[in-house]
Amino acid sequence: MKLLVVEDEALLRHHLYTRLGEQGHVVDAVANAEEALYRASEYHHDLAMIDLGLPGMSGLDLIREFRSQGKTFPILILTARGNWQDKVEGLAAGADDYVVKPFQFEELEARLNALLRRSSGFAQSSIEAGPLVLDTNRKQALVNGESLQLTAFEYRILEYLMRHHQQVVAKERLIEQLYPDDDERDPNVIEVLVGRLRRKLESAAQFKPIDTVRGQGYIFNELCK
């Protein structure tokens, strides 16, 4: 998933960028609200983590601005303010959950994954479609109970398509799931990865859930639950 992290403390921002990247996410990590607004205007994000104590425009005002712009991605508040009034104010501004600093990364990851599941319409950590089961916690795909050997990039593409099942997903959106920087992005890579996924799924179970929508992108046509 592509995440937006807005945190002015450089060490924590770097730590989040690194740890979340290790979990398979593509991360935009910025230090202030102005840069966050620019990033959100240029790229699609699946979730934002926002520190309340930002310089300049506050985290609360940034959340309100995102919601006034119609941004619907889940928002997880990072706050050093432990009193209930601040938490209530953050949720009322449009946030979906919060983590109080200092926090354990495992708690942050669990809350992040829960928000991503809910935003995609899934209650569990697994996504099922026909003979295919995706374990989003372990980042593993199973076909008829047997492990499907996927590269990290292949898995990311498959998970994103399944989370957005029966929706056309543009190549550009899929590219953003792989590379954090514009100069690394190559649309031809998506065609190669999707081709590999199709062959592996067909070889394992004669399963053909991914279709091409000419000029638009790809669609995972099977219903996921």
Side-chain angles (χ1 to χ4, degrees):
M1 301 291 106
K2 187 170 178 64
L3 311 180
L4 176 63
V5 173
V6 193
E7 169 59 60
D8 66 316
E9 185 183 337
L11 184 59
L12 178 56
R13 186 171 66 252
H14 175 74
H15 180 64
L16 290 171
Y17 177 86
T18 302
R19 290 292 300 270
L20 292 168
E22 291 172 350
Q23 298 301 311
H25 301 291
V26 173
V27 183
D28 276 342
V30 301
N32 56 63
E34 289 72 19
E35 192 171 357
L37 288 168
Y38 168 74
R39 289 281 182 167
S41 70
E42 292 292 310
Y43 304 104
H44 172 88
H45 296 90
D46 299 293
L47 180 143
M49 297 182 191
I50 299 176
D51 177 28
L52 290 185
L54 296 174
M57 179 188 288
S58 71
L60 279 175
D61 286 339
L62 175 59
I63 294 168
R64 294 188 183 106
E65 180 62 23
F66 276 151
R67 294 312 190 212
S68 72
Q69 291 179 2
K71 302 292 185 185
T72 59
F73 48 63
I75 294 176
L76 178 63
I77 288 175
L78 307 177
T79 179
R81 308 169 186 175
N83 65 71
W84 65 267
Q85 291 96 333
D86 288 321
K87 297 171 187 175
V88 169
E89 190 174 7
L91 295 172
D96 299 276
D97 200 356
Y98 60 86
V99 174
V100 177
K101 303 176 185 177
F103 52 79
Q104 295 295 319
F105 183 79
E106 290 75 13
E107 178 189 2
L108 178 74
E109 185 182 16
R111 291 181 179 274
L112 179 156
N113 287 335
L115 288 177
L116 289 173
R117 285 199 305 272
R118 285 188 222 131
S119 68
S120 301
F122 299 104
Q124 305 296 325
S125 60
S126 62
I127 305 175
E128 300 180 18
L132 175 63
V133 177
L134 213 62
D135 185 330
T136 60
N137 285 341
R138 293 186 174 90
K139 306 299 181 185
Q140 183 180 27
L142 302 172
V143 175
N144 292 324
E146 298 293 329
S147 178
L148 185 67
Q149 298 303 311
L150 301 177
T151 67
F153 277 7
E154 289 168 357
Y155 175 86
R156 288 187 199 178
I157 295 299
L158 181 58
E159 179 179 338
Y160 199 82
L161 288 173
M162 291 182 72
R163 285 186 182 275
H164 297 83
H165 61 110
Q166 300 183 323
Q167 301 175 37
V168 177
V169 180
K171 281 186 183 180
E172 292 76 15
R173 182 77 56 83
L174 292 176
I175 292 171
E176 290 178 7
Q177 296 299 312
L178 306 182
Y179 304 107
D181 300 315
D182 289 345
D183 55 3
E184 296 179 354
R185 295 170 182 168
D186 181 357
N188 295 323
V189 171
I190 298 300
E191 295 181 13
V192 172
L193 292 173
V194 171
R196 286 182 189 168
L197 277 173
R198 284 172 168 155
R199 288 191 293 273
K200 289 181 179 182
L201 290 169
E202 185 174 359
S203 176
Q206 292 298 304
F207 191 45
K208 302 177 182 180
I210 303 173
D211 290 335
T212 300
V213 180
R214 189 174 296 276
Q216 297 184 55
Y218 300 98
I219 183 170
F220 193 95
N221 264 324
E222 293 289 327
L223 182 65
C224 296
K225 59 182 181 178

